[in-house]
Amino acid sequence: NNSKNNDVVFLHGLLGNGKNLTTMAKRMGGGILVDLRGHGKSMSSFGQQRHTFENCAKDVIQSVDTTISTVVGHSFGGRVALECAMQLSSKNTTTWLLDTVPGQADGSVVEVFETIQSIDVQNYDTKSDISKVLTEEKNMNVGLAQWLTSSMTSDESSLKWGFDLDIIEDLLPEFGTQDFMGKLQHLVLSEEE
């Protein structure tokens, strides 16, 4: 959080965390870097609440203790930013969608998710060990493997992904069912009125 632009919120992509947009936030004069539901520091229990883009947006709005002037979302974060805009539509919020397209999650996203699901991280001692498995055994790009493992945390007994696999699995179908174009059109038309 940088107090110069504490009304600008940055939302990361799937399997990332708020830190992923640090450079952009700095170049824009600061802002609030949010860890979306099931990512980074937002891994706590959500009770019986369904894991949807709409509920992710509610999390963002409730967690940001300020009026939001701008929401910047990358990929999955763009989908959540669109939902935030729908919920804040009467509050003059600007929405930036970065690398965010309508429709199903790209097949490569699903493939990456399935690959990381197949690895029992408790069988490894270091992030480097997991990165090596991802690149050498699973044929993953080195940069992607390093990025995925960079968000890992560890406690006394084991490593953990920087995201909750169960929540991600619940969110993946939303890519195909969200009325992305309908919501975008609604926002554009309401701006013109």
Side-chain angles (χ1 to χ4, degrees):
N1 187 359
N2 179 321
S3 59
K4 187 175 176 186
N5 271 340
N6 66 352
D7 59 347
V8 179
V9 176
F10 294 87
L11 307 178
H12 60 82
L14 198 66
L15 307 178
N17 61 52
K19 294 180 206 170
N20 295 147
L21 297 173
T22 300
T23 301
M24 175 178 260
K26 284 181 182 177
R27 288 189 177 159
M28 290 180 62
I32 301 168
L33 302 169
V34 175
D35 284 336
L36 293 170
R37 177 185 289 230
H39 295 76
K41 296 177 182 172
S42 294
M43 302 263 250
S44 61
S45 171
F46 296 95
Q48 298 299 316
Q49 195 180 62
R50 289 185 50 232
H51 302 302
T52 63
F53 294 169
E54 182 179 343
N55 285 335
C56 289
K58 287 177 185 174
D59 296 344
V60 170
I61 293 166
Q62 290 170 1
S63 71
V64 175
D65 191 25
T66 186
T67 300
I68 300 172
S69 71
T70 304
V71 182
V72 179
H74 172 252
S75 191
F76 161 60
R79 299 294 191 108
V80 175
L82 186 59
E83 293 291 342
C84 286
M86 293 295 294
Q87 293 175 31
L88 297 168
S89 64
S90 63
K91 298 189 172 108
N92 297 321
T93 302
T94 301
T95 307
W96 292 16
L97 305 179
L98 312 174
D99 195 23
T100 305
V101 295
Q104 298 283 349
D106 187 88
S108 63
V109 173
V110 175
E111 185 178 320
V112 167
F113 179 71
E114 289 172 349
T115 299
I116 58 178
Q117 270 188 313
S118 72
I119 297 174
D120 184 355
V121 295
Q122 295 181 10
N123 291 336
Y124 303 94
D125 296 322
T126 67
K127 293 178 185 183
S128 295
D129 292 341
I130 294 172
S131 186
K132 187 174 180 179
V133 168
L134 288 170
T135 57
E136 294 180 8
E137 294 178 25
K138 306 292 185 177
N139 299 315
M140 187 177 282
N141 170 288
V142 172
L144 178 57
Q146 290 173 341
W147 175 74
L148 287 168
T149 58
S150 72
S151 69
M152 294 185 86
T153 60
S154 61
D155 57 24
E156 306 82 44
S157 61
S158 66
L159 287 167
K160 292 180 172 60
W161 290 112
F163 37 82
D164 184 312
L165 292 171
D166 293 330
I167 292 175
I168 304 303
E169 187 169 32
D170 288 348
L171 289 169
L172 278 175
E174 284 270 310
F175 283 90
T177 60
Q178 181 190 42
D179 183 15
F180 184 94
M181 293 306 292
K183 291 174 187 284
L184 197 56
Q185 185 177 25
H186 171 79
L187 290 171
V188 169
L189 291 175
S190 62
E191 284 289 317
E192 292 175 354
E193 293 175 352

